[in-house]
């Protein structure tokens, strides 16, 4: 079995495991899970940069650059969503009536 088939098999299996894990997580654990996933995506981004930097063929370079872009978009989007979710738990200040406070 060639090395590419092994990596493709690992990728497909990891996709299935990821879908199963995410579908079984309760809604109360989504925010901590997303925070952990964002940290992992930082590591994935570094790995993609290393792969793209050491690529010796055009195909590997293109795949590495696509991985860098996707990992960066996923990491930034995850932090934005996590921040928005955390803002939902902050208390809002009561509105002051007009004319007071000046």
């Amino acid at each position: 079995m060639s090395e590419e088939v092994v990596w493709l098999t690992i990728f497909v299996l990891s996709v299935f495991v990821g879908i199963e894990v995410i579908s079984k997580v309760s809604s109360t654990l989504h925010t901590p899970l997303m925070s952990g996933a964002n940290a992992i995506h930082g590591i994935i981004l570094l790995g993609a940069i290393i792969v793209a930097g050491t690529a010796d063929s055009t195909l590997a370079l293109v795949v590495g650059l696509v991985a860098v872009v996707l990992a960066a978009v996923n990491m930034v989007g995850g932090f934005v969503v996590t921040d928005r979710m955390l803002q939902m738990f902050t208390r809002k200040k009561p509105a002051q009536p007009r004319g007071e406070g000046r």
Side-chain angles (χ1 to χ4, degrees):
M1 192 177 321
S2 70
E3 188 174 334
E4 290 85 13
V5 174
V6 171
W7 286 111
L8 182 63
T9 304
I10 291 172
F11 176 73
V12 171
L13 290 176
S14 66
V15 167
F16 284 126
V17 169
I19 289 172
E20 284 298 315
V21 168
I22 293 298
S23 66
K24 303 284 190 273
V25 172
S26 67
S27 60
T28 57
L29 295 176
H30 272 261
T31 302
L33 182 65
M34 285 186 63
S35 298
N38 292 336
I40 292 171
H41 278 284
I43 297 169
I44 292 171
L45 179 61
L46 289 176
I49 290 171
I50 291 171
V51 167
T54 59
D56 54 353
S57 68
T58 305
L59 178 64
L61 180 63
V62 169
V63 171
L65 290 176
V66 169
V68 167
V69 169
L70 292 177
V73 167
N74 200 6
M75 187 178 73
V76 171
F79 278 117
V80 168
V81 170
T82 301
D83 184 52
R84 184 171 177 176
M85 290 174 72
L86 290 175
Q87 286 179 357
M88 293 171 56
F89 295 108
T90 59
R91 291 182 182 215
K92 295 179 181 173
K93 294 180 181 177
Q96 293 183 357
R98 291 185 172 218
E100 291 186 14
R102 287 191 180 190

